[in-house]
Amino acid sequence: MVSPAARLVGQGVWAALTGGWYHDPEQGAFTNSCHLYLWLFLLTLPMALHLVRAANAVTVFVYCSSVTVFFTVIKVISYRLHLMFDKGEVIQPKLSRKNGRHCKDTEVPKGNTVQPSNRSQDAEDSSCSSAQRKLNRQFYRFIIFPGKWIKVWYDRLTLLALLDRTEDIKENVFAVLLVVLVSLLGFLTLNQGFCKDIWVLLFCLVMASCQYSLLKSVQPDPASPIHVSLVFLYCFPAISLLGLFPQINTFCIYLLEQIDMLLFGGSAAAGFVSALYSISRSFVVLIVLYAFCFSAVKEPWDAQHIPALFSAFCGLLVALSYHLSRQSSDPSVLMSLIQCKYIPHYLRQQFEDSSVDPLPEKMRESVKEVLKSDLIVCTAAAVLSFAVSASTVFLSLRPFLSIVLFALAWTVGFVTHYVLPQLRKHHPWLWISHPILKSKEHQQREVRDAAHLMWFERLYVWLQCFEKYILYPAIILNALTIDAFSISFSFCLSYSCDIILITVAGMKLLRSSFCNPINQFVTLSFTVIFFRFDYRDISENFLLDFFMMSIVFHKLWDLLQKLQFIMTYIAPWQIAWGSSFHVFAQLFAIPHILYIYILVFPFLGSVIFIASYARPIKFWEKNYNTKRSDHSNTRLAIQIEKDAGNDDNNLNSIFYEHLTRSLQESLCGDLILGRWGNYNTGDCFILASDYLNAFVHLIEIGNGLVTFQLRGLEFRGTYCQQREVEAITEGDEDNEGCCCCKPGHLPHLLSCNAAFNLRWLTWEITRTQYILEGYSIIDNNAATMLQVFDLRRILIRYYIKSIIYFTASSPKILDWIKDESIQKILQPYAKWHYIERDLAMFNINIDEDYVPCLQGITRASFCSVYLDWIQFCARKRVEVSFDEDSPLVTLSFALCILGRRALGTAAHNMAISLDSFLYGLHALFKGDFRIAAKDEWVFADMDLLHKVVAPAIRMSLKLHQDQFTCPDEYEDPAVLYEAIQSFEEKVVICHEGDPAWRSAVLSNREELLTLRHVVDEGADEYKVIMLHKSYLSFKVIKVNKECVRGLWAGQQQELIFLRNRNPERGSIQNNKQVLRNLINSSCDQPLGYPMYVSPLTTSYLGTHSQLRNIWGGPVSLDNIKKWEFYCLCPVNKGVFCNSVTCHNMSKCVGGLCSKALAV
């Protein structure tokens, strides 16, 4: 008998792949054989013709004709047979007298078996029965031609099992036409060469399945489970419409993520592969731990003796939970590290890529540090846990030890995660007007240094260290030992089930405590009160009680935030009326708002407590991140003609990318130091400064790592965005209202109205001076700086002097001077009476060496102005001759003429016009040199253009900027030479489309300069952008994460499902209470319009420099050796340690003493 599972696989999965063919054990061998050979014929015919014969019209005709004739014959025969069964005559064969006399007195038993009286009687009866069965068969006459027929011994049921019945002639004709189309289109596609190797077989398999399904379709058993699946599939449109089920990849990610988080204490997933990897490693660890625990608990214990296997289980549980908490759910960095370690070719490729982007190598180094540290820390943790468990302290001191640990956990948790964060908030308890525990930079108007490490930050870190690595492991091991001791004598559900439960509970609680214990003290307190005092009878054991309460509280925190968002959003006093139109529009939009944006119903796409359109922590299905347009990914013609990527959003996105890199180094450490307040997985923050407004989404929180995504908003946002930014930046300290009057407020406290308003917001300012490394941006209008001719003359002077500098300082100067081909071409420039006349290129207003009477520039006029500078630069190179008739002067003169002619050509020979001059200047700045025919000698060596003229135009812009602060300083050749030399080494000057610009910003170069051409909303202007590396101050605003997820889901619902394309739709209008515009504009494109969306980036604790001052860095063998040398050096070897060495060694000592926090 076939099992339901086998029937499901055979009639469902396999038949779906083959188009309907499967082996049916209930049918005869003939039927199954016909089905098999029929399907093999349809599979092998096109593949054989494709592989054997060349692709031509004859092959296509042969294949299509064969299939057409084959199907036509089968359909005609099937139709005629069914017609015969309907109208034909059933013929019963006549019995012979011999057979009749022999069997007439024989009765066939009704039962299934016959019990004969003897052997001879049995033989006689069986012979009669076989003859009777043979003669009882009926047959039909199948007429082939008039007067010619054949016998058909099959009945209708057998034919239906062999082929499907098609009663309508039109349906038969249509089926044949479909077969012809499948054959023709499929074979033509096959001959186009799209499929190679195994894909040819798969494509032929698809064709055969399509054709076979027109002959014989799947007919599953009515009692088969497939019908349940079909009903579920038929309901998919309605289920998707109601938002009860997302697309399958989203559902799978959410399901695996929730199982890993709620049952195993894992962190959020970055995608399907990440979720599968996380839950797989959790199951592997569970199996290993279960094996140890099962072997340890199978025999009853003595309270004075703990089995060694159970102590080993406790040590392994702590070590593996600690290690899992330290690993990211994304295996890509770990796989990259393994590939770099064992695949040399991949290592070389990564080294080449790291020269452009240093982040991948930095991530691999962080993961390597974590693995090295875990090797030592996990070993030490396993040994200590084994020793503590084997000492029987948990069984000997019960229940007093549990009471002490519970009280201590509540006290430490209350102080660490409630009192200290409240005292550090911008408005403690939403009543006090300023922080009580202030940072050093709180009152600073301009930040010039990194954030100072305060005493309360050190206290916060050490309290977390004690709570995470000592207190909660002791509580869990204590409960685990007591529960396992009870199970060894009696079990509740079953022996194996109880062991699995305590193993899962122990692993989940330990991993959660290691990763983020912020809410653990609340869950622990409620568990103790609820199960020890209120409902003692329903308690199984403390470990399982704590485990179940952790799941319940995880969902209750989300529900609480949902309700807060809903109540804040629909509060009647929160409605902003705006213009007179919105007075009416808002009233009519109230039902729309309640229906779309409250998002409490499952069919509106929210993330509800029990069932809804579930979304993972990451929320967005697509791994969207901004691809910046520059010269490395755009065509050369587009770069020259259209200047692609010159909009402000594309150019300014690099600042958000740099901000992401700064957060990658410091975010995890700053969270540990409490500078962002309390945080949890999925929390959302906004970083606001003068021009940067970034949305930070915390996706994964581990033990010493945080994975986040940054979304940068526009510099110059819309009106609604600016109103919400103003709401963030404006203070509440000056509010003196109380209801309708203004009685004022007490010192250091907020007024009643201000306190009331703060409680009806879905966001809260947690810190006002958060310091990050960044770039201060200074932009000057180039038209203003080059408006008058005198300022343009200064720029041209610096341009020529820069050409001379780069010519004289080039390492190839001797080759250029001695090159006969170049000197032959430059002979006219060596003559003193040579005049360079070009009225469209040279002008008395901007060229200092221009001779009005000759209407041009001569060698003599050039030397009268620039010979001293040429000789000064040449003196730096002893081997170069620099008299006035030297080849160096000739080459410099020719290059200066070439550079000015290139500028005039780029300016369309209209250098007098400011707009044309700026256009030409920008064209040369980005490297677009249009060389005239008389200047083609420069192509003899392209370094003359790339290493002399191109950097000269950029250096001249930098010198021109500096001359505004010190106008006469560069008149001295020595000062000018040193300035150019210094700028060449320290300042990056290039176009923003050059990949070197992005590389310089991400490499934290001290100073950068560029010339930007911006065409935006009719404005056509040029700006000189100067970047100086500095420290930037941000406000940190924590936003209700359910508010963010709800508004994001509402945007998907409105724009994708309801197809609202109105750019001024109500959902993006400003709403200060929920920051609706800022949140909705941060959605992935095309729903939102963020300037920059980063990839998922992981910040590790070891990259934070200030935390190393607390515990000294990672625990590694090198640090252990340094520590031993530091301890033994003054005693054994008498080596004198200076203050710097001793200070560094003391850091290593601190790192070893706090093993648990090591990275």
mmCIF file of all heavy atoms in Angstrom, residues 753-781:
data_model
loop_
_atom_site.group_PDB
_atom_site.id
_atom_site.type_symbol
_atom_site.label_atom_id
_atom_site.label_comp_id
_atom_site.label_asym_id
_atom_site.label_seq_id
_atom_site.Cartn_x
_atom_site.Cartn_y
_atom_site.Cartn_z
ATOM 1 N N ASN A 753 3.623 72.284 29.758
ATOM 2 C CA ASN A 753 3.323 72.067 28.335
ATOM 3 C C ASN A 753 4.460 71.333 27.628
ATOM 4 O O ASN A 753 4.230 70.444 26.808
ATOM 5 C CB ASN A 753 3.077 73.407 27.645
ATOM 6 C CG ASN A 753 1.712 73.967 27.985
ATOM 7 O OD1 ASN A 753 0.931 73.336 28.697
ATOM 8 N ND2 ASN A 753 1.400 75.158 27.484
ATOM 9 N N ALA A 754 5.703 71.715 27.941
ATOM 10 C CA ALA A 754 6.842 71.051 27.305
ATOM 11 C C ALA A 754 6.924 69.583 27.705
ATOM 12 O O ALA A 754 7.155 68.706 26.866
ATOM 13 C CB ALA A 754 8.142 71.770 27.682
ATOM 14 N N ALA A 755 6.707 69.305 28.996
ATOM 15 C CA ALA A 755 6.737 67.910 29.450
ATOM 16 C C ALA A 755 5.602 67.107 28.823
ATOM 17 O O ALA A 755 5.781 65.934 28.470
ATOM 18 C CB ALA A 755 6.648 67.859 30.973
ATOM 19 N N PHE A 756 4.434 67.731 28.678
ATOM 20 C CA PHE A 756 3.302 67.045 28.061
ATOM 21 C C PHE A 756 3.582 66.747 26.590
ATOM 22 O O PHE A 756 3.312 65.651 26.102
ATOM 23 C CB PHE A 756 2.046 67.905 28.207
ATOM 24 C CG PHE A 756 0.832 67.312 27.567
ATOM 25 C CD1 PHE A 756 0.075 66.353 28.229
ATOM 26 C CD2 PHE A 756 0.433 67.712 26.292
ATOM 27 C CE1 PHE A 756 -1.046 65.799 27.635
ATOM 28 C CE2 PHE A 756 -0.679 67.170 25.694
ATOM 29 C CZ PHE A 756 -1.429 66.214 26.372
ATOM 30 N N ASN A 757 4.130 67.720 25.878
ATOM 31 C CA ASN A 757 4.411 67.525 24.451
ATOM 32 C C ASN A 757 5.465 66.441 24.225
ATOM 33 O O ASN A 757 5.371 65.675 23.260
ATOM 34 C CB ASN A 757 4.870 68.840 23.819
ATOM 35 C CG ASN A 757 3.764 69.876 23.783
ATOM 36 O OD1 ASN A 757 2.579 69.529 23.721
ATOM 37 N ND2 ASN A 757 4.131 71.153 23.835
ATOM 38 N N LEU A 758 6.462 66.389 25.090
ATOM 39 C CA LEU A 758 7.511 65.377 24.923
ATOM 40 C C LEU A 758 6.969 63.968 25.100
ATOM 41 O O LEU A 758 7.491 63.020 24.513
ATOM 42 C CB LEU A 758 8.640 65.620 25.922
ATOM 43 C CG LEU A 758 9.531 66.829 25.661
ATOM 44 C CD1 LEU A 758 10.553 66.977 26.787
ATOM 45 C CD2 LEU A 758 10.252 66.709 24.324
ATOM 46 N N ARG A 759 5.910 63.836 25.901
ATOM 47 C CA ARG A 759 5.340 62.512 26.114
ATOM 48 C C ARG A 759 4.450 62.061 24.962
ATOM 49 O O ARG A 759 4.060 60.894 24.920
ATOM 50 C CB ARG A 759 4.550 62.499 27.426
ATOM 51 C CG ARG A 759 5.431 62.382 28.649
ATOM 52 C CD ARG A 759 4.717 62.755 29.930
ATOM 53 N NE ARG A 759 5.525 62.429 31.097
ATOM 54 C CZ ARG A 759 6.533 63.157 31.540
ATOM 55 N NH1 ARG A 759 6.849 64.274 30.905
ATOM 56 N NH2 ARG A 759 7.239 62.784 32.596
ATOM 57 N N TRP A 760 4.132 62.969 24.054
ATOM 58 C CA TRP A 760 3.290 62.626 22.915
ATOM 59 C C TRP A 760 4.096 62.736 21.618
ATOM 60 O O TRP A 760 3.636 63.287 20.615
ATOM 61 C CB TRP A 760 2.050 63.511 22.867
ATOM 62 C CG TRP A 760 1.057 63.105 23.907
ATOM 63 C CD1 TRP A 760 0.946 63.581 25.179
ATOM 64 C CD2 TRP A 760 0.073 62.088 23.769
ATOM 65 N NE1 TRP A 760 -0.054 62.933 25.847
ATOM 66 C CE2 TRP A 760 -0.625 62.002 25.005
ATOM 67 C CE3 TRP A 760 -0.316 61.233 22.740
ATOM 68 C CZ2 TRP A 760 -1.654 61.105 25.219
ATOM 69 C CZ3 TRP A 760 -1.342 60.349 22.948
ATOM 70 C CH2 TRP A 760 -2.011 60.284 24.174
ATOM 71 N N LEU A 761 5.293 62.181 21.654
ATOM 72 C CA LEU A 761 6.149 62.079 20.482
ATOM 73 C C LEU A 761 6.581 60.621 20.326
ATOM 74 O O LEU A 761 6.723 59.896 21.313
ATOM 75 C CB LEU A 761 7.400 62.961 20.613
ATOM 76 C CG LEU A 761 7.195 64.464 20.788
ATOM 77 C CD1 LEU A 761 8.530 65.147 21.020
ATOM 78 C CD2 LEU A 761 6.516 65.059 19.549
ATOM 79 N N THR A 762 6.787 60.207 19.087
ATOM 80 C CA THR A 762 7.328 58.862 18.858
ATOM 81 C C THR A 762 8.846 58.895 18.744
ATOM 82 O O THR A 762 9.457 57.898 18.361
ATOM 83 C CB THR A 762 6.743 58.260 17.565
ATOM 84 O OG1 THR A 762 7.066 59.119 16.455
ATOM 85 C CG2 THR A 762 5.245 58.099 17.687
ATOM 86 N N TRP A 763 9.469 60.001 19.066
ATOM 87 C CA TRP A 763 10.915 60.111 19.028
ATOM 88 C C TRP A 763 11.396 60.880 20.258
ATOM 89 O O TRP A 763 10.621 61.572 20.910
ATOM 90 C CB TRP A 763 11.381 60.825 17.747
ATOM 91 C CG TRP A 763 10.708 62.147 17.492
ATOM 92 C CD1 TRP A 763 9.546 62.345 16.820
ATOM 93 C CD2 TRP A 763 11.152 63.443 17.919
ATOM 94 N NE1 TRP A 763 9.217 63.680 16.790
ATOM 95 C CE2 TRP A 763 10.197 64.375 17.450
ATOM 96 C CE3 TRP A 763 12.246 63.904 18.618
ATOM 97 C CZ2 TRP A 763 10.323 65.733 17.683
ATOM 98 C CZ3 TRP A 763 12.382 65.268 18.845
ATOM 99 C CH2 TRP A 763 11.428 66.160 18.382
ATOM 100 N N GLU A 764 12.672 60.726 20.550
ATOM 101 C CA GLU A 764 13.248 61.343 21.745
ATOM 102 C C GLU A 764 14.723 61.622 21.507
ATOM 103 O O GLU A 764 15.451 60.789 20.945
ATOM 104 C CB GLU A 764 13.079 60.408 22.943
ATOM 105 C CG GLU A 764 13.627 60.976 24.245
ATOM 106 C CD GLU A 764 13.494 60.011 25.404
ATOM 107 O OE1 GLU A 764 13.057 58.861 25.155
ATOM 108 O OE2 GLU A 764 13.834 60.382 26.534
ATOM 109 N N ILE A 765 15.159 62.792 21.911
ATOM 110 C CA ILE A 765 16.574 63.155 21.792
ATOM 111 C C ILE A 765 17.337 62.487 22.932
ATOM 112 O O ILE A 765 17.058 62.729 24.100
ATOM 113 C CB ILE A 765 16.767 64.676 21.841
ATOM 114 C CG1 ILE A 765 16.033 65.347 20.684
ATOM 115 C CG2 ILE A 765 18.252 65.027 21.798
ATOM 116 C CD1 ILE A 765 16.093 66.854 20.710
ATOM 117 N N THR A 766 18.296 61.643 22.574
ATOM 118 C CA THR A 766 19.079 60.946 23.589
ATOM 119 C C THR A 766 20.423 61.615 23.855
ATOM 120 O O THR A 766 20.989 61.451 24.938
ATOM 121 C CB THR A 766 19.325 59.488 23.174
ATOM 122 O OG1 THR A 766 20.029 59.465 21.930
ATOM 123 C CG2 THR A 766 17.996 58.752 23.003
ATOM 124 N N ARG A 767 20.940 62.351 22.876
ATOM 125 C CA ARG A 767 22.233 63.019 23.067
ATOM 126 C C ARG A 767 22.319 64.192 22.105
ATOM 127 O O ARG A 767 21.913 64.097 20.942
ATOM 128 C CB ARG A 767 23.380 62.038 22.807
ATOM 129 C CG ARG A 767 24.759 62.579 23.201
ATOM 130 C CD ARG A 767 25.831 61.522 22.917
ATOM 131 N NE ARG A 767 27.164 61.993 23.231
ATOM 132 C CZ ARG A 767 27.770 61.825 24.395
ATOM 133 N NH1 ARG A 767 27.136 61.182 25.358
ATOM 134 N NH2 ARG A 767 28.989 62.271 24.604
ATOM 135 N N THR A 768 22.840 65.307 22.574
ATOM 136 C CA THR A 768 22.923 66.511 21.746
ATOM 137 C C THR A 768 24.306 66.753 21.174
ATOM 138 O O THR A 768 24.447 67.516 20.218
ATOM 139 C CB THR A 768 22.515 67.746 22.565
ATOM 140 O OG1 THR A 768 23.334 67.824 23.741
ATOM 141 C CG2 THR A 768 21.057 67.666 22.974
ATOM 142 N N GLN A 769 25.339 66.152 21.743
ATOM 143 C CA GLN A 769 26.700 66.348 21.244
ATOM 144 C C GLN A 769 27.350 64.983 21.050
ATOM 145 O O GLN A 769 28.113 64.506 21.898
ATOM 146 C CB GLN A 769 27.525 67.195 22.235
ATOM 147 C CG GLN A 769 27.121 68.641 22.332
ATOM 148 C CD GLN A 769 27.630 69.458 21.152
ATOM 149 O OE1 GLN A 769 28.334 68.969 20.312
ATOM 150 N NE2 GLN A 769 27.235 70.724 21.103
ATOM 151 N N TYR A 770 27.028 64.362 19.931
ATOM 152 C CA TYR A 770 27.648 63.083 19.601
ATOM 153 C C TYR A 770 28.729 63.352 18.562
ATOM 154 O O TYR A 770 28.459 63.912 17.498
ATOM 155 C CB TYR A 770 26.606 62.104 19.061
ATOM 156 C CG TYR A 770 27.199 60.790 18.623
ATOM 157 C CD1 TYR A 770 27.801 59.934 19.542
ATOM 158 C CD2 TYR A 770 27.170 60.400 17.286
ATOM 159 C CE1 TYR A 770 28.349 58.728 19.143
ATOM 160 C CE2 TYR A 770 27.705 59.193 16.877
ATOM 161 C CZ TYR A 770 28.294 58.362 17.813
ATOM 162 O OH TYR A 770 28.853 57.180 17.414
ATOM 163 N N ILE A 771 29.948 62.954 18.856
ATOM 164 C CA ILE A 771 31.107 63.351 18.064
ATOM 165 C C ILE A 771 31.515 62.210 17.143
ATOM 166 O O ILE A 771 31.662 61.057 17.566
ATOM 167 C CB ILE A 771 32.292 63.741 18.980
ATOM 168 C CG1 ILE A 771 31.829 64.725 20.055
ATOM 169 C CG2 ILE A 771 33.421 64.319 18.148
ATOM 170 C CD1 ILE A 771 31.192 65.974 19.506
ATOM 171 N N LEU A 772 31.704 62.548 15.866
ATOM 172 C CA LEU A 772 32.189 61.601 14.869
ATOM 173 C C LEU A 772 33.216 62.293 13.980
ATOM 174 O O LEU A 772 33.164 63.513 13.771
ATOM 175 C CB LEU A 772 31.056 61.085 13.988
ATOM 176 C CG LEU A 772 30.195 59.934 14.512
ATOM 177 C CD1 LEU A 772 29.079 59.640 13.526
ATOM 178 C CD2 LEU A 772 31.029 58.693 14.743
ATOM 179 N N GLU A 773 34.138 61.508 13.461
ATOM 180 C CA GLU A 773 35.074 62.032 12.476
ATOM 181 C C GLU A 773 34.354 62.253 11.155
ATOM 182 O O GLU A 773 33.572 61.414 10.711
ATOM 183 C CB GLU A 773 36.244 61.071 12.265
ATOM 184 C CG GLU A 773 37.310 61.146 13.344
ATOM 185 C CD GLU A 773 38.548 60.383 12.957
ATOM 186 O OE1 GLU A 773 38.510 59.688 11.922
ATOM 187 O OE2 GLU A 773 39.549 60.462 13.683
ATOM 188 N N GLY A 774 34.622 63.407 10.551
ATOM 189 C CA GLY A 774 33.996 63.714 9.282
ATOM 190 C C GLY A 774 34.745 64.824 8.586
ATOM 191 O O GLY A 774 35.931 65.077 8.865
ATOM 192 N N TYR A 775 34.070 65.479 7.678
ATOM 193 C CA TYR A 775 34.666 66.576 6.917
ATOM 194 C C TYR A 775 33.798 67.818 7.056
ATOM 195 O O TYR A 775 32.581 67.761 6.870
ATOM 196 C CB TYR A 775 34.785 66.212 5.440
ATOM 197 C CG TYR A 775 35.918 65.272 5.124
ATOM 198 C CD1 TYR A 775 35.684 63.911 4.939
ATOM 199 C CD2 TYR A 775 37.218 65.731 5.012
ATOM 200 C CE1 TYR A 775 36.719 63.040 4.647
ATOM 201 C CE2 TYR A 775 38.271 64.873 4.725
ATOM 202 C CZ TYR A 775 38.013 63.530 4.546
ATOM 203 O OH TYR A 775 39.048 62.673 4.275
ATOM 204 N N SER A 776 34.449 68.908 7.402
ATOM 205 C CA SER A 776 33.761 70.195 7.335
ATOM 206 C C SER A 776 33.809 70.684 5.894
ATOM 207 O O SER A 776 34.859 70.630 5.243
ATOM 208 C CB SER A 776 34.436 71.202 8.264
ATOM 209 O OG SER A 776 35.788 71.411 7.888
ATOM 210 N N ILE A 777 32.693 71.138 5.404
ATOM 211 C CA ILE A 777 32.549 71.492 3.988
ATOM 212 C C ILE A 777 32.485 73.007 3.851
ATOM 213 O O ILE A 777 31.673 73.671 4.496
ATOM 214 C CB ILE A 777 31.283 70.850 3.402
ATOM 215 C CG1 ILE A 777 31.301 69.334 3.609
ATOM 216 C CG2 ILE A 777 31.156 71.172 1.913
ATOM 217 C CD1 ILE A 777 30.029 68.645 3.174
ATOM 218 N N ILE A 778 33.357 73.543 3.013
ATOM 219 C CA ILE A 778 33.350 74.974 2.687
ATOM 220 C C ILE A 778 33.162 75.073 1.184
ATOM 221 O O ILE A 778 33.974 74.555 0.407
ATOM 222 C CB ILE A 778 34.662 75.662 3.102
ATOM 223 C CG1 ILE A 778 34.911 75.482 4.599
ATOM 224 C CG2 ILE A 778 34.638 77.130 2.724
ATOM 225 C CD1 ILE A 778 36.248 76.026 5.059
ATOM 226 N N ASP A 779 32.089 75.701 0.766
ATOM 227 C CA ASP A 779 31.859 75.870 -0.666
ATOM 228 C C ASP A 779 31.769 77.353 -0.984
ATOM 229 O O ASP A 779 31.075 78.115 -0.313
ATOM 230 C CB ASP A 779 30.599 75.138 -1.112
ATOM 231 C CG ASP A 779 29.348 75.629 -0.406
ATOM 232 O OD1 ASP A 779 29.484 76.102 0.732
ATOM 233 O OD2 ASP A 779 28.256 75.542 -0.983
ATOM 234 N N ASN A 780 32.496 77.746 -2.005
ATOM 235 C CA ASN A 780 32.525 79.139 -2.477
ATOM 236 C C ASN A 780 32.052 79.171 -3.920
ATOM 237 O O ASN A 780 32.377 78.277 -4.710
ATOM 238 C CB ASN A 780 33.938 79.723 -2.383
ATOM 239 C CG ASN A 780 34.434 79.776 -0.949
ATOM 240 O OD1 ASN A 780 33.694 80.146 -0.044
ATOM 241 N ND2 ASN A 780 35.688 79.395 -0.739
ATOM 242 N N ASN A 781 31.314 80.209 -4.241
ATOM 243 C CA ASN A 781 30.836 80.373 -5.602
ATOM 244 C C ASN A 781 32.002 80.804 -6.483
ATOM 245 O O ASN A 781 32.622 81.845 -6.257
ATOM 246 C CB ASN A 781 29.721 81.422 -5.637
ATOM 247 C CG ASN A 781 28.961 81.380 -6.935
ATOM 248 O OD1 ASN A 781 29.525 81.126 -7.993
ATOM 249 N ND2 ASN A 781 27.663 81.632 -6.867
#
